[in-house]
Each structure stands twice: as structure tokens, then as C-alpha cells.
Amino acid sequence: MSFLDLKNITKIYPNGTKAVHETSLSIDEGEFMVFVGPSGCGKSTLLRMVAGLEEITEGEITLDGNLINEVDPSERDIAMVFQNYALYPHMNVYNNLAYGLKNRGIDKQAIEQKVNDAAKLLQISDYLQRKPSMLSGGQRQRVAMGRAIVRNPKIFLFDEPLSNLDAKLRIQMRLEIKKLQQKVGVTSIFVTHDQTEAMTLADKLAVINNGVIEQLSTPIEIYNNPKSLFVAGFIGSPQMNFMEGELKNKTLSAEGFEIKNVKSDYNGEVTLGIRPEHLSQSDNGLINLTVDLVEQLGSDNLVYGQLKDKKDFCYRCPGNLTIKKGSKLSLNIDNDNYFIFDKSSGKRVN
Amino acid sequence: MKIKPLQISAHIILILGVLLMVVPIWISFASSTHDTVTILTEGMKFNIGEHLSRNYNEVLNEKGGWSEEVTAAKMFINSFIMALGIATLKVIISAMSAYALVYYRFKLAVPIFWLIFITLLVPLEVRIFPTYKIVSDLGLTNSYTGLILPLVASATATFFFRQFYRTIPDELLESAKLDGANSWRFFVDFLIPLSKTMIAAMFIFMFVYGYSQYLWPLIMTTSEKYWTVVMGMKIIFTESYEGVALPRTAERFAYIILSMIPPVLVVVILQKWFIKGLIQTEK
């Protein structure tokens, strides 16, 4: 049995909306689990059910061997970092950190010790006496994390905690969260809609869509081996290129080219997916691209253009190649790195 | 710096406003320092007279009323106790009922809120006989409890607290819950400190409301020991002159000036929070 177990969890809101469908997953102790998906997919609802902030319509959640369905959130020994931090505006940073400990009846000296340790770990010792309104976004974020850490809970829950920060700070805090989690070693669930955050933070990644876990695996496995059209489109930046085609007797024919010896026995209409980074230029390439726009990122160039059938297409190439707008490129797929999905069900077929 | 005509007119308007507020008080004060004969013969005064200390001494210490049992000082104390009781209980009850209405999401919360709100249409004056009946059945006439209790429910304050609580983000409650706070702790550790400006503002309004009650104390007190300032104003410092009751005008002015002091003190002490509460919500 693992540390946190979700068994057939379903959430139906009073107005009839089904937010989560019979979801099961388990998280091992010390693992960093990330729920990723578009807004409204049910990932936050799932997290809030673990926290006890939403009622569970059906199913069971067990934490550390105990069924916690009916346990009050205050008794679950769970800490959560909210999107807007939810710092206590009338308390200074010290009291923000100490509040949860005080409620647990810990004596004053022990509280001081714990708060100071957590503050040191997060480098917020200098502003312990300040009110949250006097802190910057990054500092508030740290205080929110400090409030979670100081209690040494069984699980950390993060509900999109980085979405209120500017881009640079977000990357910095992302790193810090990961480092901190590794240092403290607490089991964590992190909810985000940002696939980069998801990829970089997760030990295990659950891609959620419409209240269902589409795929649950390590980030790199999900990137290399997406099980469905949705996962393939959601993970990876820039997004995977998709084109329509037909698979018949192991031959895939798409607009303007064919791929032979496909490792699939599926016959019928399919969607072909190719990641922008799995292409390279060659003289007799399969794909002919007319360049519209080049984004130079320095290390890489993102080349946007159109195929014969006017379909948009993206190609990622090393930054040292010079590609001019309007030029025509001939591209080949590297090492059979393509994905074929059943067009109607979205399931992977190769 | 040039003074613009607009500024001048604005200042004239403001000065007129200030005069409108201050002049009556000044006249009362100035008149309270003359003797009654001067005022009755010469009209109200703008200058300070010679009887300041005598008049004020008399007001505070002379026994008045039908049976000469009550002094003005006693009435000030009565009014102060009544206003303090009303304001304190009103604030506590309203804050707690608003808490229940906002944070306990039971089905009847909205109808109950409107029911509370409708009581604004039924002030004490309208329901004075049933109220009197209940209070007298409970044996509470001629007591501070009887003076205070029928006035402690407040739809206005409940409404203001409710509106304020609704602006507090849900995450704060959720976060507090995860930090181990129960409903009571959330109320005490969060809502009360967050609404302290609101509490100060409500306290002032309700204090003045309680202090200026006239009809209720008039009806429910028969013992002079429980007379309040506003009632007393009509009754005490009357002199019988050839069978006609004549007011002792100078003393009455002194009495009016003194009666203003308790509410003014409350406002002065709480004004720092009061103004904050009116112009901003601290979040």
C-alpha cells in the first residue's frame, strides 16, 4: 500500500457538474506528484478533495494507512500553498508561520525554534516582523511555503502557487520548490496548467483532462510516449504538429507524403503527430515547409510555416542555422519519432 | 501661489458648513454661562458670562425629578451604561450573526438574512407596546437589562458585517482550517482583527443611537434612579413660578453641553479606526 491512495474518486457538484470521474492513483512517500491539465479539468478539485476542502462524492482516500474521507481538514495533517498565497493579512510573518503550531498546542519555545528554522531555510528571517502587505510577490510565496513547511505535515499540496509571479521569478521559485522538496523529503502534490512547470518539477506526472487521468507516468515517459492525442498536444513546447492521414496495411498516407512500414496493424483514419524538435533538414525530405516566421531564441530557432495544404507547422532547429522568411525547407522525421493516433478516439495506435 | 476662484468658493462653502455645525453649540455654551434671567430677558448669548462654574456645579449636583432623587450626574451614568451596553451587544450579536449567515452555508441563510433586514422597517417605536409587555412580564422594568436588551438586535450592523465578511477571500478560511483553526478560532483570530475598523465604526454609531434613545427609557422607567440624560432634559431644572412650570434655561444649556461629552469622547477615542472603517477596507 502506498502513502496516499485515491480509489475510484468521483466528484459531482450540487449543480450536477461532474468534475472528477472515478479517478484512482497512488503516491509513494516522498514522491513529487504533479497534476497537469487545462483549466476546468478537475485537477484542483482532486487536490482540494485530498485537502478536505471539497466533499468526496464517491470513492476513498487513504493517507498513511488511514481512511480520511470524513476527517476534518484541520485533523488531516496536510499543508497547502494557495494560488493567491492566502497569507493572514493581519499577522506578521512570524505569526503566519506560528499560527498552525499554536493551534496544535506546541509550546512557545518549540514554536520559535521551528519558525526560525523554517525561516532560515527559506531565507525569510529578515522579514519575520513584517506584515504580508509589505512583502514582494516572491517573498510572499516563500512565506506561504514556510507556513507549510514549519508544521512538518504528511503532505504538501500546491495549488498553482507560481501563477501570480512574473516569468523570471516563476522559474527561480520553481527551482527552489524542487530543491526544497528534495531537502525536506515531504510527499507533495503540485497542481499546474503549465506543462513546463509540470515537466520540471514532477517525479510523477498525471495529465488530467475532463476529470479523467489521461496518463500517469514519469515526465520523460509521457513526453516520449504519449498515450493519447490530448497528452501529446498538451505536453511539449512548442506544441506537437498534427496532421490528418490514413493508415492502411502499415502505410500511412498524409497530405503530400507517405510513411511506409509503420509499426501498427491499425487501419483507418488517423492523426499523425510530430514534435517540432524531431525534425531535421534533408535534401529529399518528406515534409515541405514554406517559412512564414522565425523566432530566434538564441539556442534554438522556432520556424513557423505552412505545408502544401496551408496547414500551420512548426520546426525547431539549432540556433546557429540561418533561415530566411519565405524560404522553402525540406524536412525529415528523425529516427521514426512520430506518433499515430486513432482520429476518432484519440488513442495512440503505433 | 495663486488662489483660484474655485478654491475660494469651495472654502466659503466649507466654512459655512462648519459654522452651521459649530454656532449652535457655541450659543448653547455661551448661554450656559449666564443666569436664567439674563437669557429670558435678553435672548440667547454669544459672549461668555460670569456664571460658568456656578451653573455647571448646580447641574451636576442638584437633585431633580419629581421626588428629588436623581442628579444629572446619575443620569449621565445611566445613559452611559445604556449606550455602552447597547453598542457592545449590538456589535457582538451582529458580528456573530453575520458570521453565521456568511460562513455556514445552510439553505435558509438568505431568507433569514432578509428577515433580519426587514426588521429595519419595524423600529422600536412601532413595536413599543408589545416590547413593553414582554419586558414588564419578565420583570425587567426599572433595570439596566430592561433598558438595554430590547435594543441589542441590529439589522444595519448585521448587514454591514455581512457585506464585509463576503469580501474576505475563501482561501483565508481554507488556509486557516488546514492550520487547525475551528469555526470559533477563525472568528476570533481572523474575522475580529480583520474587521476592527468596522467594529469601531459600528460601535460609534450604535453608541450614539443608544445614548439618544428617548421613548423607550421614558416608557419603561418609573423609578428616577434609571432616568437617562435625554429624558431628563425635559424634566429637570424646572422652577415653579406662580403655578407655572418655567425652565431654568441657563442650567439647561449647561446640561446640554455636558450631555454631549460622552458621545464626543467615544468618537474622539475611536475616530482613528472609525475613519479608516468608513473609507477603506483593510485586507
Side-chain angles (χ1 to χ4, degrees), chain B residues 174-231:
Chain B
E174 293 173 346
S175 183
K177 267 191 197 166
L178 290 172
D179 256 348
N182 56 25
S183 307
W184 174 247
R185 285 249 72 89
F186 182 67
F187 183 64
V188 173
D189 292 345
F190 289 83
L191 292 183
I192 289 179
L194 284 173
S195 59
K196 61 174 191 265
T197 57
M198 177 72 88
I199 288 173
M202 285 300 133
F203 187 86
I204 290 179
F205 281 133
M206 297 312 164
F207 186 90
V208 173
Y209 167 87
Y211 195 79
S212 54
Q213 280 303 312
Y214 174 65
L215 193 59
W216 178 243
L218 187 69
I219 286 186
M220 69 87 49
T221 56
T222 48
S223 157
E224 286 170 13
K225 270 192 278 180
Y226 293 100
W227 278 12
T228 63
V229 170
V230 183
M231 295 166 63

Short mmCIF file of all heavy atoms in Angstrom, two decimals, chain B residues 174-231:
data_model
loop_
_atom_site.label_atom_id
_atom_site.label_comp_id
_atom_site.label_asym_id
_atom_site.label_seq_id
_atom_site.Cartn_x
_atom_site.Cartn_y
_atom_site.Cartn_z
N GLU B 174 -10.01 28.55 4.24
CA GLU B 174 -9.49 27.22 3.95
C GLU B 174 -8.10 27.04 4.53
O GLU B 174 -7.78 26.02 5.14
CB GLU B 174 -9.47 27.00 2.44
CG GLU B 174 -10.88 26.96 1.87
CD GLU B 174 -10.92 26.93 0.36
OE1 GLU B 174 -9.87 27.21 -0.27
OE2 GLU B 174 -11.99 26.63 -0.19
N SER B 175 -7.30 28.08 4.35
CA SER B 175 -5.95 28.03 4.87
C SER B 175 -5.95 27.92 6.40
O SER B 175 -5.19 27.13 6.98
CB SER B 175 -5.24 29.31 4.41
OG SER B 175 -3.93 29.29 4.81
N ALA B 176 -6.84 28.67 7.01
CA ALA B 176 -6.93 28.62 8.48
C ALA B 176 -7.39 27.24 8.93
O ALA B 176 -6.89 26.70 9.92
CB ALA B 176 -7.90 29.68 8.98
N LYS B 177 -8.33 26.66 8.18
CA LYS B 177 -8.80 25.31 8.51
C LYS B 177 -7.64 24.34 8.49
O LYS B 177 -7.48 23.53 9.40
CB LYS B 177 -9.83 24.86 7.47
CG LYS B 177 -11.26 25.14 7.82
CD LYS B 177 -12.14 24.39 6.82
CE LYS B 177 -13.55 24.90 6.80
NZ LYS B 177 -14.28 24.39 5.62
N LEU B 178 -6.84 24.40 7.43
CA LEU B 178 -5.72 23.47 7.32
C LEU B 178 -4.70 23.72 8.42
O LEU B 178 -3.93 22.84 8.78
CB LEU B 178 -5.05 23.60 5.94
CG LEU B 178 -5.88 23.08 4.78
CD1 LEU B 178 -5.23 23.44 3.46
CD2 LEU B 178 -6.06 21.58 4.86
N ASP B 179 -4.68 24.95 8.92
CA ASP B 179 -3.78 25.28 10.02
C ASP B 179 -4.39 24.88 11.36
O ASP B 179 -3.87 25.23 12.41
CB ASP B 179 -3.45 26.77 10.03
CG ASP B 179 -2.06 27.04 9.49
OD1 ASP B 179 -1.30 26.08 9.33
OD2 ASP B 179 -1.73 28.21 9.23
N GLY B 180 -5.52 24.21 11.30
CA GLY B 180 -6.09 23.66 12.53
C GLY B 180 -7.04 24.58 13.27
O GLY B 180 -7.34 24.35 14.44
N ALA B 181 -7.53 25.63 12.60
CA ALA B 181 -8.45 26.54 13.28
C ALA B 181 -9.88 26.03 13.14
O ALA B 181 -10.31 25.72 12.04
CB ALA B 181 -8.34 27.94 12.68
N ASN B 182 -10.62 25.96 14.24
CA ASN B 182 -12.03 25.61 14.13
C ASN B 182 -12.85 26.88 13.91
O ASN B 182 -12.29 27.97 13.81
CB ASN B 182 -12.49 24.85 15.38
CG ASN B 182 -12.22 25.63 16.65
OD1 ASN B 182 -12.14 26.86 16.61
ND2 ASN B 182 -12.09 24.95 17.76
N SER B 183 -14.17 26.74 13.82
CA SER B 183 -15.01 27.89 13.48
C SER B 183 -14.83 29.04 14.47
O SER B 183 -14.75 30.20 14.08
CB SER B 183 -16.48 27.50 13.49
OG SER B 183 -16.67 26.39 12.69
N TRP B 184 -14.76 28.69 15.74
CA TRP B 184 -14.64 29.72 16.76
C TRP B 184 -13.31 30.44 16.63
O TRP B 184 -13.24 31.67 16.67
CB TRP B 184 -14.81 29.09 18.14
CG TRP B 184 -14.55 30.05 19.25
CD1 TRP B 184 -13.53 30.03 20.14
CD2 TRP B 184 -15.34 31.21 19.58
NE1 TRP B 184 -13.62 31.08 20.99
CE2 TRP B 184 -14.72 31.83 20.68
CE3 TRP B 184 -16.50 31.77 19.03
CZ2 TRP B 184 -15.22 32.97 21.26
CZ3 TRP B 184 -17.00 32.94 19.61
CH2 TRP B 184 -16.37 33.52 20.71
N ARG B 185 -12.24 29.67 16.45
CA ARG B 185 -10.91 30.29 16.32
C ARG B 185 -10.85 31.18 15.08
O ARG B 185 -10.23 32.24 15.10
CB ARG B 185 -9.82 29.22 16.23
CG ARG B 185 -9.49 28.54 17.52
CD ARG B 185 -8.10 28.93 18.02
NE ARG B 185 -8.07 30.31 18.50
CZ ARG B 185 -8.34 30.67 19.74
NH1 ARG B 185 -8.62 29.77 20.63
NH2 ARG B 185 -8.28 31.93 20.09
N PHE B 186 -11.49 30.74 14.00
CA PHE B 186 -11.46 31.56 12.79
C PHE B 186 -12.14 32.91 13.06
O PHE B 186 -11.65 33.96 12.64
CB PHE B 186 -12.14 30.85 11.62
CG PHE B 186 -12.11 31.64 10.35
CD1 PHE B 186 -10.91 31.87 9.70
CD2 PHE B 186 -13.27 32.18 9.80
CE1 PHE B 186 -10.86 32.61 8.54
CE2 PHE B 186 -13.22 32.93 8.64
CZ PHE B 186 -12.02 33.14 8.01
N PHE B 187 -13.24 32.85 13.78
CA PHE B 187 -13.96 34.08 14.11
C PHE B 187 -13.09 35.00 14.97
O PHE B 187 -12.94 36.18 14.69
CB PHE B 187 -15.26 33.71 14.84
CG PHE B 187 -16.13 34.89 15.17
CD1 PHE B 187 -16.68 35.66 14.16
CD2 PHE B 187 -16.39 35.21 16.49
CE1 PHE B 187 -17.48 36.74 14.46
CE2 PHE B 187 -17.20 36.30 16.79
CZ PHE B 187 -17.74 37.06 15.77
N VAL B 188 -12.48 34.43 15.99
CA VAL B 188 -11.73 35.24 16.94
C VAL B 188 -10.38 35.69 16.37
O VAL B 188 -9.98 36.83 16.53
CB VAL B 188 -11.53 34.46 18.26
CG1 VAL B 188 -10.62 35.22 19.21
CG2 VAL B 188 -12.87 34.20 18.91
N ASP B 189 -9.69 34.76 15.70
CA ASP B 189 -8.34 35.07 15.24
C ASP B 189 -8.30 35.79 13.90
O ASP B 189 -7.29 36.39 13.54
CB ASP B 189 -7.51 33.78 15.12
CG ASP B 189 -7.23 33.15 16.47
OD1 ASP B 189 -7.42 33.85 17.47
OD2 ASP B 189 -6.84 31.97 16.52
N PHE B 190 -9.38 35.68 13.14
CA PHE B 190 -9.35 36.28 11.81
C PHE B 190 -10.40 37.37 11.63
O PHE B 190 -10.06 38.51 11.37
CB PHE B 190 -9.54 35.20 10.74
CG PHE B 190 -8.35 34.32 10.61
CD1 PHE B 190 -8.17 33.26 11.48
CD2 PHE B 190 -7.39 34.59 9.67
CE1 PHE B 190 -7.06 32.47 11.39
CE2 PHE B 190 -6.26 33.81 9.57
CZ PHE B 190 -6.10 32.74 10.44
N LEU B 191 -11.67 37.00 11.77
CA LEU B 191 -12.70 37.98 11.41
C LEU B 191 -12.67 39.19 12.33
O LEU B 191 -12.80 40.32 11.86
CB LEU B 191 -14.08 37.32 11.43
CG LEU B 191 -14.27 36.28 10.33
CD1 LEU B 191 -15.67 35.73 10.36
CD2 LEU B 191 -14.00 36.89 8.96
N ILE B 192 -12.49 38.98 13.62
CA ILE B 192 -12.50 40.13 14.52
C ILE B 192 -11.32 41.07 14.27
O ILE B 192 -11.52 42.27 14.06
CB ILE B 192 -12.61 39.69 15.98
CG1 ILE B 192 -14.02 39.14 16.21
CG2 ILE B 192 -12.32 40.83 16.95
CD1 ILE B 192 -14.29 38.63 17.58
N PRO B 193 -10.07 40.56 14.22
CA PRO B 193 -8.98 41.50 13.92
C PRO B 193 -9.11 42.15 12.54
O PRO B 193 -8.80 43.32 12.37
CB PRO B 193 -7.72 40.63 13.97
CG PRO B 193 -8.12 39.29 14.38
CD PRO B 193 -9.58 39.22 14.58
N LEU B 194 -9.62 41.39 11.56
CA LEU B 194 -9.74 41.98 10.22
C LEU B 194 -10.83 43.04 10.16
O LEU B 194 -10.77 43.95 9.35
CB LEU B 194 -10.03 40.89 9.19
CG LEU B 194 -8.83 40.02 8.81
CD1 LEU B 194 -9.28 38.88 7.92
CD2 LEU B 194 -7.78 40.84 8.11
N SER B 195 -11.83 42.91 11.02
CA SER B 195 -12.93 43.87 10.93
C SER B 195 -12.87 44.90 12.05
O SER B 195 -13.88 45.50 12.38
CB SER B 195 -14.27 43.14 10.92
OG SER B 195 -14.43 42.36 12.08
N LYS B 196 -11.71 45.13 12.63
CA LYS B 196 -11.69 46.01 13.79
C LYS B 196 -12.05 47.46 13.45
O LYS B 196 -12.68 48.13 14.26
CB LYS B 196 -10.37 45.92 14.55
CG LYS B 196 -9.14 46.30 13.80
CD LYS B 196 -7.96 46.29 14.78
CE LYS B 196 -6.73 46.92 14.18
NZ LYS B 196 -5.81 45.95 13.58
N THR B 197 -11.73 47.89 12.23
CA THR B 197 -12.16 49.25 11.86
C THR B 197 -13.69 49.29 11.74
O THR B 197 -14.33 50.24 12.17
CB THR B 197 -11.56 49.66 10.51
OG1 THR B 197 -11.94 48.71 9.54
CG2 THR B 197 -10.06 49.72 10.58
N MET B 198 -14.22 48.22 11.17
CA MET B 198 -15.68 48.11 11.04
C MET B 198 -16.32 48.08 12.42
O MET B 198 -17.36 48.74 12.65
CB MET B 198 -15.97 46.81 10.28
CG MET B 198 -17.41 46.51 10.12
SD MET B 198 -18.17 47.58 8.95
CE MET B 198 -17.86 46.68 7.48
N ILE B 199 -15.71 47.36 13.33
CA ILE B 199 -16.25 47.28 14.68
C ILE B 199 -16.25 48.65 15.33
O ILE B 199 -17.24 49.06 15.94
CB ILE B 199 -15.43 46.27 15.52
CG1 ILE B 199 -15.73 44.85 15.04
CG2 ILE B 199 -15.75 46.41 17.01
CD1 ILE B 199 -14.87 43.79 15.67
N ALA B 200 -15.16 49.40 15.16
CA ALA B 200 -15.09 50.74 15.75
C ALA B 200 -16.18 51.63 15.18
O ALA B 200 -16.87 52.35 15.92
CB ALA B 200 -13.72 51.35 15.50
N ALA B 201 -16.36 51.58 13.87
CA ALA B 201 -17.37 52.43 13.23
C ALA B 201 -18.77 52.07 13.74
O ALA B 201 -19.55 52.95 14.11
CB ALA B 201 -17.29 52.28 11.71
N MET B 202 -19.04 50.77 13.76
CA MET B 202 -20.36 50.32 14.22
C MET B 202 -20.57 50.71 15.68
O MET B 202 -21.65 51.11 16.08
CB MET B 202 -20.47 48.80 14.10
CG MET B 202 -20.65 48.33 12.69
SD MET B 202 -22.16 49.02 12.02
CE MET B 202 -21.57 49.57 10.45
N PHE B 203 -19.52 50.58 16.48
CA PHE B 203 -19.63 50.88 17.91
C PHE B 203 -20.03 52.34 18.10
O PHE B 203 -20.92 52.67 18.88
CB PHE B 203 -18.32 50.59 18.62
CG PHE B 203 -18.40 50.71 20.10
CD1 PHE B 203 -18.82 49.64 20.87
CD2 PHE B 203 -18.10 51.91 20.73
CE1 PHE B 203 -18.92 49.75 22.25
CE2 PHE B 203 -18.20 52.04 22.10
CZ PHE B 203 -18.61 50.95 22.87
N ILE B 204 -19.41 53.23 17.34
CA ILE B 204 -19.73 54.65 17.48
C ILE B 204 -21.19 54.92 17.10
O ILE B 204 -21.95 55.54 17.84
CB ILE B 204 -18.80 55.51 16.60
CG1 ILE B 204 -17.40 55.47 17.19
CG2 ILE B 204 -19.30 56.93 16.51
CD1 ILE B 204 -16.38 56.25 16.41
N PHE B 205 -21.59 54.39 15.94
CA PHE B 205 -22.97 54.60 15.51
C PHE B 205 -23.94 54.10 16.58
O PHE B 205 -24.91 54.77 16.93
CB PHE B 205 -23.26 53.83 14.21
CG PHE B 205 -22.72 54.52 13.00
CD1 PHE B 205 -22.00 53.83 12.04
CD2 PHE B 205 -22.97 55.88 12.79
CE1 PHE B 205 -21.51 54.47 10.92
CE2 PHE B 205 -22.47 56.52 11.67
CZ PHE B 205 -21.74 55.81 10.74
N MET B 206 -23.66 52.90 17.06
CA MET B 206 -24.60 52.28 17.97
C MET B 206 -24.57 52.94 19.35
O MET B 206 -25.58 53.00 20.04
CB MET B 206 -24.29 50.78 18.10
CG MET B 206 -24.45 50.04 16.79
SD MET B 206 -26.02 50.45 15.98
CE MET B 206 -25.73 49.86 14.34
N PHE B 207 -23.42 53.47 19.73
CA PHE B 207 -23.33 54.19 20.99
C PHE B 207 -24.20 55.44 20.94
O PHE B 207 -24.99 55.71 21.85
CB PHE B 207 -21.88 54.56 21.29
CG PHE B 207 -21.69 55.17 22.64
CD1 PHE B 207 -21.42 54.37 23.74
CD2 PHE B 207 -21.80 56.54 22.83
CE1 PHE B 207 -21.24 54.91 24.99
CE2 PHE B 207 -21.65 57.10 24.09
CZ PHE B 207 -21.37 56.29 25.17
N VAL B 208 -24.06 56.18 19.86
CA VAL B 208 -24.84 57.40 19.72
C VAL B 208 -26.34 57.07 19.66
O VAL B 208 -27.17 57.72 20.29
CB VAL B 208 -24.40 58.20 18.48
CG1 VAL B 208 -25.32 59.38 18.23
CG2 VAL B 208 -22.97 58.67 18.65
N TYR B 209 -26.65 55.98 18.97
CA TYR B 209 -28.03 55.52 18.88
C TYR B 209 -28.57 55.22 20.28
O TYR B 209 -29.66 55.67 20.65
CB TYR B 209 -28.09 54.28 17.98
CG TYR B 209 -29.39 53.51 18.04
CD1 TYR B 209 -30.46 53.86 17.22
CD2 TYR B 209 -29.53 52.42 18.89
CE1 TYR B 209 -31.64 53.14 17.25
CE2 TYR B 209 -30.71 51.69 18.93
CZ TYR B 209 -31.76 52.06 18.11
OH TYR B 209 -32.92 51.35 18.15
N GLY B 210 -27.80 54.48 21.04
CA GLY B 210 -28.24 54.10 22.39
C GLY B 210 -28.34 55.31 23.30
O GLY B 210 -29.27 55.46 24.09
N TYR B 211 -27.38 56.22 23.14
CA TYR B 211 -27.32 57.39 24.01
C TYR B 211 -28.51 58.31 23.78
O TYR B 211 -29.01 58.94 24.70
CB TYR B 211 -26.01 58.14 23.73
CG TYR B 211 -25.65 59.16 24.78
CD1 TYR B 211 -25.07 58.75 25.97
CD2 TYR B 211 -25.88 60.51 24.58
CE1 TYR B 211 -24.73 59.66 26.94
CE2 TYR B 211 -25.56 61.44 25.55
CZ TYR B 211 -24.98 61.01 26.73
OH TYR B 211 -24.64 61.92 27.68
N SER B 212 -28.95 58.37 22.52
CA SER B 212 -30.01 59.33 22.22
C SER B 212 -31.41 58.69 22.29
O SER B 212 -32.37 59.29 21.84
CB SER B 212 -29.78 59.96 20.85
OG SER B 212 -29.63 58.95 19.90
N GLN B 213 -31.53 57.48 22.82
CA GLN B 213 -32.86 56.89 22.99
C GLN B 213 -33.70 57.75 23.92
O GLN B 213 -33.24 58.18 24.99
CB GLN B 213 -32.72 55.48 23.57
CG GLN B 213 -32.35 54.44 22.55
CD GLN B 213 -33.32 54.35 21.40
OE1 GLN B 213 -34.53 54.29 21.60
NE2 GLN B 213 -32.79 54.37 20.20
N TYR B 214 -34.94 58.00 23.52
CA TYR B 214 -35.81 58.83 24.35
C TYR B 214 -37.06 58.07 24.79
O TYR B 214 -37.32 57.89 25.98
CB TYR B 214 -36.19 60.10 23.58
CG TYR B 214 -37.19 60.95 24.30
CD1 TYR B 214 -36.86 61.55 25.52
CD2 TYR B 214 -38.45 61.17 23.77
CE1 TYR B 214 -37.78 62.33 26.19
CE2 TYR B 214 -39.38 61.95 24.44
CZ TYR B 214 -39.04 62.53 25.65
OH TYR B 214 -39.94 63.29 26.31
N LEU B 215 -37.79 57.56 23.80
CA LEU B 215 -39.09 56.99 24.09
C LEU B 215 -39.02 55.76 24.98
O LEU B 215 -39.80 55.61 25.92
CB LEU B 215 -39.79 56.64 22.76
CG LEU B 215 -41.27 56.32 22.86
CD1 LEU B 215 -42.04 57.48 23.44
CD2 LEU B 215 -41.82 55.95 21.48
N TRP B 216 -38.08 54.88 24.68
CA TRP B 216 -38.00 53.63 25.42
C TRP B 216 -37.70 53.84 26.91
O TRP B 216 -38.47 53.37 27.76
CB TRP B 216 -37.02 52.68 24.76
CG TRP B 216 -36.87 51.40 25.50
CD1 TRP B 216 -35.75 50.92 26.09
CD2 TRP B 216 -37.88 50.43 25.78
NE1 TRP B 216 -35.97 49.73 26.71
CE2 TRP B 216 -37.30 49.41 26.54
CE3 TRP B 216 -39.25 50.35 25.48
CZ2 TRP B 216 -38.00 48.30 26.98
CZ3 TRP B 216 -39.95 49.25 25.92
CH2 TRP B 216 -39.33 48.24 26.67
N PRO B 217 -36.66 54.58 27.25
CA PRO B 217 -36.42 54.80 28.69
C PRO B 217 -37.58 55.56 29.34
O PRO B 217 -37.93 55.31 30.48
CB PRO B 217 -35.14 55.62 28.74
CG PRO B 217 -34.71 55.84 27.37
CD PRO B 217 -35.55 55.08 26.44
N LEU B 218 -38.21 56.44 28.58
CA LEU B 218 -39.32 57.21 29.13
C LEU B 218 -40.46 56.29 29.55
O LEU B 218 -41.08 56.47 30.59
CB LEU B 218 -39.81 58.20 28.07
CG LEU B 218 -40.87 59.20 28.52
CD1 LEU B 218 -40.27 60.19 29.49
CD2 LEU B 218 -41.46 59.92 27.31
N ILE B 219 -40.72 55.26 28.71
CA ILE B 219 -41.85 54.39 28.99
C ILE B 219 -41.51 53.36 30.05
O ILE B 219 -42.32 53.06 30.93
CB ILE B 219 -42.30 53.71 27.68
CG1 ILE B 219 -43.03 54.76 26.84
CG2 ILE B 219 -43.16 52.49 27.95
CD1 ILE B 219 -43.65 54.20 25.61
N MET B 220 -40.32 52.82 30.00
CA MET B 220 -40.07 51.66 30.86
C MET B 220 -39.48 52.00 32.23
O MET B 220 -39.34 51.11 33.05
CB MET B 220 -39.26 50.59 30.12
CG MET B 220 -37.85 50.90 29.82
SD MET B 220 -36.72 50.51 31.09
CE MET B 220 -37.08 48.89 31.56
N THR B 221 -39.12 53.26 32.45
CA THR B 221 -38.64 53.57 33.80
C THR B 221 -39.70 54.32 34.57
O THR B 221 -40.27 55.31 34.09
CB THR B 221 -37.38 54.46 33.74
OG1 THR B 221 -37.69 55.62 33.00
CG2 THR B 221 -36.22 53.75 33.11
N THR B 222 -39.97 53.83 35.75
CA THR B 222 -40.84 54.59 36.64
C THR B 222 -40.03 55.11 37.82
O THR B 222 -40.40 56.06 38.47
CB THR B 222 -41.98 53.71 37.16
OG1 THR B 222 -41.43 52.48 37.61
CG2 THR B 222 -42.99 53.44 36.07
N SER B 223 -38.91 54.43 38.06
CA SER B 223 -38.05 54.90 39.14
C SER B 223 -37.06 55.91 38.58
O SER B 223 -36.47 55.70 37.52
CB SER B 223 -37.29 53.72 39.74
OG SER B 223 -36.12 54.18 40.37
N GLU B 224 -36.90 57.00 39.29
CA GLU B 224 -36.00 58.05 38.80
C GLU B 224 -34.55 57.59 38.77
O GLU B 224 -33.70 58.17 38.10
CB GLU B 224 -36.13 59.29 39.67
CG GLU B 224 -37.42 60.02 39.39
CD GLU B 224 -37.70 61.12 40.39
OE1 GLU B 224 -36.77 61.46 41.15
OE2 GLU B 224 -38.83 61.61 40.43
N LYS B 225 -34.26 56.50 39.46
CA LYS B 225 -32.89 56.00 39.50
C LYS B 225 -32.39 55.59 38.12
O LYS B 225 -31.20 55.46 37.88
CB LYS B 225 -32.80 54.79 40.45
CG LYS B 225 -32.49 55.18 41.88
CD LYS B 225 -32.13 53.96 42.70
CE LYS B 225 -33.41 53.28 43.15
NZ LYS B 225 -33.16 52.08 43.97
N TYR B 226 -33.33 55.31 37.21
CA TYR B 226 -32.94 54.83 35.89
C TYR B 226 -33.18 55.86 34.79
O TYR B 226 -33.17 55.54 33.63
CB TYR B 226 -33.66 53.51 35.57
CG TYR B 226 -33.19 52.40 36.47
CD1 TYR B 226 -33.92 52.02 37.58
CD2 TYR B 226 -31.96 51.78 36.21
CE1 TYR B 226 -33.46 51.02 38.41
CE2 TYR B 226 -31.49 50.78 37.04
CZ TYR B 226 -32.25 50.41 38.14
OH TYR B 226 -31.77 49.44 38.96
N TRP B 227 -33.42 57.08 35.19
CA TRP B 227 -33.61 58.10 34.17
C TRP B 227 -32.33 58.30 33.35
O TRP B 227 -31.23 58.17 33.85
CB TRP B 227 -33.98 59.42 34.84
CG TRP B 227 -35.44 59.49 35.17
CD1 TRP B 227 -36.33 58.47 35.15
CD2 TRP B 227 -36.13 60.66 35.59
NE1 TRP B 227 -37.55 58.91 35.53
CE2 TRP B 227 -37.48 60.25 35.81
CE3 TRP B 227 -35.79 62.00 35.79
CZ2 TRP B 227 -38.46 61.15 36.21
CZ3 TRP B 227 -36.75 62.89 36.19
CH2 TRP B 227 -38.08 62.46 36.40
N THR B 228 -32.57 58.66 32.09
CA THR B 228 -31.41 58.91 31.23
C THR B 228 -31.35 60.39 30.87
O THR B 228 -32.30 61.13 31.08
CB THR B 228 -31.49 58.08 29.94
OG1 THR B 228 -32.63 58.50 29.21
CG2 THR B 228 -31.59 56.60 30.24
N VAL B 229 -30.24 60.76 30.30
CA VAL B 229 -29.97 62.17 30.00
C VAL B 229 -31.04 62.79 29.12
O VAL B 229 -31.55 63.87 29.39
CB VAL B 229 -28.60 62.30 29.34
CG1 VAL B 229 -28.40 63.70 28.79
CG2 VAL B 229 -27.50 61.97 30.32
N VAL B 230 -31.38 62.06 28.06
CA VAL B 230 -32.28 62.66 27.08
C VAL B 230 -33.68 62.89 27.68
O VAL B 230 -34.34 63.88 27.40
CB VAL B 230 -32.35 61.77 25.82
CG1 VAL B 230 -33.23 62.39 24.76
CG2 VAL B 230 -30.95 61.56 25.28
N MET B 231 -34.11 61.91 28.54
CA MET B 231 -35.38 62.11 29.23
C MET B 231 -35.31 63.30 30.17
O MET B 231 -36.22 64.11 30.26
CB MET B 231 -35.70 60.91 30.13
CG MET B 231 -35.95 59.63 29.47
SD MET B 231 -35.87 58.39 30.78
CE MET B 231 -37.25 58.91 31.79
#
